[in-house]
Structures are given as C-alpha cells and as structure tokens.
Amino acid sequence: MLEGLDYFFWFLAIVAFVFEVVALVDILRVPEGAFPAADKQTKKLWLILLVVAAVVGLGGATRFLHLLSFLPIAAFIVAAIYLADVKPAVKPYKNKGKGGNSGSGPYGPW
C-alpha cells in the first residue's frame, strides 16, 4: 500500500512540475511593461520566483527532494498564483505590438 501512495505523490510532483514549467514559459512571452500596466509585481521578480519554483519542482519530480517537503508545495503555490492571478491580468498586453494595432491599450489608444 505504501508503494502505491508513493507513486501517487510522485505523480502529483510531476504534474506540479509541469504547471511550473508552463508558468515559466508563459512569463517569457509577456512584455516587461505589461506587469506595471496590470498593477502587478515586476517581470524580473516573477521570473526569479518561477525559475526557483521550476528548479525546486524538478527536484521534487526527480525525487531529489522529499515529496512531502514544503519546498515543492511552496513552488507549486508560486506557479498557481502566477497562473491564476498574474497571467489573466497581463493577458491583454501579451501580443501588443505584433501586427495591426500596436498603439492601443486594453480600452483604446494610449
């Protein structure tokens, strides 16, 4: 029974690592000016947090860190906050400047 539970938590660690990588890839595609425009922390801070979260998540997924340690859980929480709060806030600013109407904000021209 304990082996099955270990595999379950290992699976959860892998899923958490995938979420952390998705958040990291997403932040690389957002322009730096989108964060202050959306009234969020700077891109540099979020990038540092998500890189650390991905490294810790990799440690949890490869069983380098204990699966019930608080570090992989904290790393998942950082990625979840980014995906649930910051990503929707900066989404209107993500593709500005690519094609068409590059001089307009979310509610009209600048």
Side-chain angles (χ1 to χ4, degrees), residues 5 8 16-17 25 42 52 58 61 68 74 87 97 104-105:
L5 193 58
F8 175 72
F17 175 64
V25 169
T42 63
V52 170
L58 178 64
L68 297 178
K87 181 181 176 181
S104 68

Side-chain angles (χ1 to χ4, degrees), residues 81-105:
I81 290 171
Y82 174 80
L83 290 173
D85 182 41
V86 179
K87 181 181 176 181
V90 297
K91 185 177 182 179
Y93 307 99
K94 188 182 259 187
N95 291 324
K96 299 295 180 191
K98 292 185 179 176
N101 197 3
S102 64
S104 68

Side-chain angles (χ1 to χ4, degrees), residues 24-41:
L24 183 61
V25 169
D26 182 74
I27 197 171
L28 294 174
R29 298 177 20 205
V30 178
E32 191 165 343
F35 292 86
D39 199 27
K40 299 297 176 187
Q41 294 293 328

Side-chain angles (χ1 to χ4, degrees), residues 16-92:
F17 175 64
V18 169
F19 274 101
E20 293 152 6
V21 169
V22 166
L24 183 61
V25 169
D26 182 74
I27 197 171
L28 294 174
R29 298 177 20 205
V30 178
E32 191 165 343
F35 292 86
D39 199 27
K40 299 297 176 187
Q41 294 293 328
T42 63
K43 180 177 180 175
K44 184 184 287 188
L45 176 68
W46 277 109
L47 189 60
I48 291 169
L49 289 173
L50 290 173
V51 165
V52 170
V55 170
V56 170
L58 178 64
T62 58
R63 295 185 176 189
F64 182 72
L65 295 174
H66 192 289
L67 292 177
L68 297 178
S69 170
F70 74 94
L71 289 177
I73 296 169
F76 176 75
I77 289 172
V78 167
I81 290 171
Y82 174 80
L83 290 173
D85 182 41
V86 179
K87 181 181 176 181
V90 297
K91 185 177 182 179

